[in-house]
Amino acid sequence: QVQLAESGGGLVQPGGSLRLSCTASGFSFSDAKMGWYRQAPGKEREFVAGIHPNFHTYYAASVKGRFVISRDNAKNTVWLQMSNRKVEDTAVYYCTGGKLLDYWGQGTQVTVSS
């Protein structure tokens, strides 16, 4: 059974930092692309960051330079380190994984507010 379990969401002030974690099970993590998407209220889900099995990373323009995605294949875990948070980063963040990014977590709420 495939599972993606996100954690680390919460409330952070503008300019602050937060790290999300996603632990995967039920598929070959080391062979899988992993990524993060987000969905803000009233908006469509959008891509945030991704990391290939070879550790190549790529980012949405809106987060490049502020967010860092990383993975540890021994722990079946991917992280999203978010720095210099902005109010517009408020959203539910979803972990996704698989050769075609076809597995999804339940999401974790991140709120940026003063």
Side-chain angles (χ1 to χ4, degrees):
Q1 182 181 0
V2 172
Q3 287 189 328
L4 293 173
E6 302 104 332
S7 61
L11 175 66
V12 62
Q13 292 186 341
S17 298
L18 199 66
R19 189 175 79 160
L20 304 181
S21 299
C22 172
T23 300
S25 61
F27 62 96
S28 178
F29 183 87
S30 60
D31 294 328
K33 299 177 185 177
M34 298 298 298
W36 291 92
Y37 279 67
R38 67 185 181 186
Q39 187 167 19
K43 295 187 177 181
E44 293 189 354
R45 192 173 298 189
E46 65 175 4
F47 168 77
V48 175
I51 185 166
H52 283 178
N54 66 0
F55 296 88
H56 173 73
T57 59
Y58 46 106
Y59 299 92
S62 59
V63 306
K64 197 169 186 179
R66 299 189 298 121
F67 291 10
V68 176
I69 187 171
S70 59
R71 65 189 294 163
D72 185 332
N73 290 341
K75 296 181 179 180
N76 281 13
T77 300
V78 61
W79 294 276
L80 185 68
Q81 178 69 47
M82 304 178 289
S83 303
N84 191 20
R85 300 305 307 276
K86 302 179 180 180
V87 172
E88 52 264 39
D89 293 326
T90 294
V92 176
Y93 284 71
Y94 296 90
C95 175
T96 180
K99 290 191 175 182
L100 300 176
L101 292 180
D102 41 356
Y103 306 128
W104 292 85
Q106 294 298 309
T108 184
Q109 176 70 47
V110 174
T111 302
V112 184
S113 175
S114 55

